[in-house]
Amino acid sequence: MIRSDRSTSASAPGAGRPTDQAHGLRQMFASRVIRFIPVVANPAAACGGLVLERLCTTYAGFGLHTLVVDASDQARPPSELAAFDLAEGIEDLSRQVRYMPARGLPLRHVDARGSCATLLDALADASPQSDVILIHASASELVRIFGHRAGHANLRPLLFSNDLAEGLTDAYGAIKVIVQRGHWLAYDLVVCASARSKQADEVARRLAQCADSFLGAAQHRSLRLDPQESSDRDPSAEFQELAAGLLRCAWVQTLGDTAFDHLVSPGAALPSRVAPVLN
């Protein structure tokens, strides 16, 4: 369980060191960067909202601000104003969570190479206050968004499924896309199923086995998420560890100098871009 952050006097032993996982993550975000995490949509599983909500709750517990960009086929299209200013399409859900319906948005940023990577720049410009941006989209769209930039990065997407054959089939199809087109050879998995489900562990095992045997991909971590669990409950320690691991393997985007002006002055010009770095 994440403990609350407590101040430590300079004279105390171990002062200056991270006191817990949340404190260590806040230190990692000391410089102004945004971390992008790809979350692969699975229409057959019908639990994307649950997975995204639990991630947002976890990151809020870490003291981070999260923007959810939902570009899945089930999401709403962006607002009309977003065509002129992407920030106008962002909705505030809470002090630390924002949401953007974005069905069809990635293809508005496609270039002659088939890449939608400029969407990352546009989202960073539109929401420079965010620490984390979750992009929920199909496997093919995520490859278009991240592929050209993150081909040699330690990017690890998150997949989810339910405990039914249809969810398993869609998840395996997504792995084929991210391996063959994105060359991402590791992923994390969340299986949305009741604590009483007898199939959930088998779904994770079969997916790991098929991904390894036929595609050479590794299932880094898998866990179960109970859809019946109250949203008022804190995410489990296991889920918090998974969420923290996604941060460490996220695509890191630096903010341009004028992004700092934008943070304190909403009327400032749009931030300039600089080359992304991994840190």
Side-chain angles (χ1 to χ4, degrees):
M1 184 63 63
I2 298 297
R3 301 186 298 274
S4 61
D5 189 28
R6 296 177 174 86
S7 60
T8 306
S9 64
S11 59
R17 298 178 182 175
T19 58
D20 57 18
Q21 181 170 260
H23 181 63
L25 288 167
R26 282 191 288 273
Q27 285 189 336
M28 188 170 73
F29 282 77
S31 58
R32 282 308 305 164
V33 298
I34 296 177
R35 282 173 164 78
F36 289 87
I37 297 175
V39 180
V40 184
N42 186 333
C47 58
L50 172 66
V51 174
L52 295 169
E53 183 272 328
R54 292 281 84 187
L55 286 172
C56 290
T57 300
T58 301
Y59 293 144
F62 293 163
L64 305 177
H65 294 79
T66 304
L67 169 64
V68 176
V69 178
D70 192 355
S72 66
D73 290 340
Q74 290 70 44
R76 290 181 283 124
S79 71
E80 294 181 1
L81 290 177
F84 305 96
D85 181 357
L86 210 55
E88 294 294 331
I90 297 175
E91 305 168 6
D92 291 324
L93 300 185
S94 70
R95 187 175 61 86
Q96 289 179 280
V97 179
R98 309 173 83 197
Y99 174 79
M100 182 179 187
R103 175 165 53 87
L105 181 63
L107 288 179
R108 297 184 188 180
H109 293 262
V110 70
D111 63 17
R113 299 177 300 166
S115 170
C116 302
T118 57
L119 176 61
L120 300 178
D121 298 333
L123 290 171
D125 291 347
S127 187
Q129 301 91 345
S130 296
D131 299 301
V132 182
I133 296 182
L134 303 173
I135 302 187
H136 179 228
S138 68
S140 59
E141 286 200 318
L142 289 174
V143 170
R144 289 185 187 277
I145 294 168
F146 290 96
H148 289 284
R149 292 189 177 182
H152 301 288
N154 188 30
L155 190 70
R156 190 169 67 233
L158 176 65
L159 281 77
F160 58 86
S161 178
N162 54 18
D163 57 353
L164 302 176
E166 294 82 2
L168 173 63
T169 300
D170 273 20
Y172 181 69
I175 295 173
K176 289 181 66 175
V177 173
I178 65 175
V179 169
Q180 295 173 353
R181 293 176 53 187
H183 307 291
W184 304 336
L185 296 177
Y187 64 91
D188 286 327
L189 175 70
V190 170
V191 179
C192 301
S194 165
R196 300 184 300 274
S197 172
K198 298 179 180 179
Q199 294 80 31
D201 292 342
E202 179 65 13
V203 165
R205 188 193 67 80
R206 288 183 60 189
L207 193 60
Q209 184 180 51
C210 292
D212 180 32
S213 300
F214 300 111
L215 300 170
Q219 185 171 285
H220 173 260
R221 182 193 293 268
S222 68
L223 58 82
R224 185 185 308 201
L225 189 59
D226 189 348
Q228 303 303 319
E229 183 178 273
S230 172
S231 60
D232 295 331
R233 292 185 60 181
D234 290 335
S236 67
E238 187 180 16
F239 190 90
Q240 292 180 33
E241 290 175 4
L242 178 144
L246 292 173
L247 291 176
R248 298 185 185 101
C249 293
W251 170 252
V252 179
Q253 180 101 9
T254 60
L255 295 179
D257 291 339
T258 55
F260 293 93
D261 297 331
H262 189 69
L263 285 170
V264 298
S265 175
L270 288 177
S272 59
R273 305 311 319 158
V274 296
V277 298
L278 292 176
N279 58 1

